[in-house]
């Protein structure tokens, strides 16, 4: 499955922001660390679970705004 994910993501011609929860048991952090991209991928980890964007919504919103500028 990791090969399938990398096959899809490697086709992206844009920067990628990854926002991952360290306590995510559904999609563990090791998966994020193995994602390969053409362009820079930024990996942000938080003390959150699978729904890190909800657990840390202020941090997530600020990072997305900064990333999109």
């Amino acid at each position: 499955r990791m090969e399938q994910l990398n096959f899809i993501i490697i086709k992206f011609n844009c920067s990628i922001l990854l926002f991952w929860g360290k306590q995510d048991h559904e999609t563990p952090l090791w998966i994020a660390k193995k994602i390969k991209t053409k362009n820079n991928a930024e990996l942000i980890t938080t003390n959150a679970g699978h729904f890190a964007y909800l657990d840390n919504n202020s941090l997530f919103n600020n990072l997305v705004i900064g990333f999109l500028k």
Side-chain angles (χ1 to χ4, degrees):
R1 291 176 48 134
M2 194 69 223
E3 293 80 23
Q4 291 172 330
L5 179 62
N6 279 329
F7 178 75
I8 293 167
I9 291 177
I10 200 74
K11 293 180 180 182
F12 295 172
N13 288 319
C14 60
S15 296
I16 297 172
L17 173 68
L18 300 174
F19 187 79
W20 225 274
K22 288 181 183 176
Q23 309 305 321
D24 187 341
H25 299 290
E26 287 80 13
T27 312
L29 185 58
W30 67 264
I31 292 175
K33 292 180 179 179
K34 290 192 176 263
I35 293 174
K36 296 175 178 65
T37 64
K38 285 183 186 176
N39 296 317
N40 294 339
E42 189 171 345
L43 176 63
I44 305 295
T45 59
T46 65
N47 286 327
H50 187 64
F51 298 103
Y53 60 95
L54 293 176
D55 296 340
N56 294 290
N57 59 357
S58 293
L59 174 61
F60 176 76
N61 291 339
N62 289 330
L63 288 170
V64 170
I65 290 168
F67 181 76
L68 294 175
K69 287 185 177 181

